[in-house]
Amino acid sequence: MLGLPKGVVFLVPWTSVWEVEFLLEKSKIEEVIGEQIVAVHHIGSTAVKHLSAKPIIDIAIEIKNFQDGEICVPPLESLGYSYKGINILPNRHYFNKGEPRTHQIHMYESGNKYLLEQIGFRDYLRNNENTRIQYERLKQKLSTTNKSNKHKYAEDKTAFVSSILNKLKN
C-alpha cells in the first residue's frame, strides 16, 4: 500500500515494496535532474526494514548548491511532483506527489544539518533493533491518538528523535 490522504495519520506494516518504489522513483529523478544531484537517499520510516510507517516514500536529494533547487522544479513537476517551496523547513526545497500523497522530496545542499540528521537517524534505527522497536511502539500509539492531526503526531515524536540525534553527536 502506498499513499496517505490529506489530514489523516495511519501506519502500515513495513514492506519490501517500499524499497522497490524508492529505487524506481530514484531512477526517474536521476533521469530528469541527474546533473544537479550529488546523491539521492531513501529516508524516513519507509527506509527502515521492519518499521511500520505512514505509506509515503520520503526521498532526500542532495545537490551541490541550494540555488540549483529552482532549476529542478520544472523537471520534477513533469514527474508529477508539486513544488511547495522553501518555507516549511529552512534550507530545504520541498515537493510532494499524489493525492493521496505517495512521495515527498526533501532537497538539500550537501552537508546540510537537517539532511545529515535524517540520514543519521535512519541509520541508527537500521542498526539498533531495540530502538527501532521502541520508536515503532511510540509511532503506533501516537498514530492512534492523533489520527487526524499530522502536525501533533510529528511534534509528539520530537523528544524521541532528539534523544537519538543527541546520542549521535556524542
Side-chain angles (χ1 to χ4, degrees), residues 54-108:
K54 294 182 296 180
I56 301 171
I57 306 298
D58 280 292
I59 301 167
I61 299 177
E62 192 174 342
I63 56 178
K64 294 176 196 123
N65 299 303
F66 186 71
Q67 294 75 17
D68 293 344
E70 297 291 332
I71 299 166
C72 299
V73 174
L76 290 172
E77 286 177 337
S78 77
L79 296 178
Y81 284 92
S82 177
Y83 182 56
K84 301 302 181 182
I86 59 173
N87 299 323
I88 298 168
L89 268 183
N91 303 312
R92 175 187 74 159
H93 294 278
Y94 175 70
F95 303 78
N96 63 30
K97 181 178 184 177
E99 187 50 55
R101 191 169 17 130
T102 57
H103 299 77
Q104 300 182 126
I105 291 176
H106 314 265
M107 184 179 288
Y108 300 101

Side-chain angles (χ1 to χ4, degrees), residues 96-126:
N96 63 30
K97 181 178 184 177
E99 187 50 55
R101 191 169 17 130
T102 57
H103 299 77
Q104 300 182 126
I105 291 176
H106 314 265
M107 184 179 288
Y108 300 101
E109 183 172 294
S110 266
N112 178 282
K113 170 189 179 218
Y114 299 107
L115 170 66
L116 298 175
E117 286 178 349
Q118 287 177 328
I119 293 169
F121 184 70
R122 176 204 64 195
D123 291 349
Y124 191 89
L125 292 177
R126 284 178 171 176

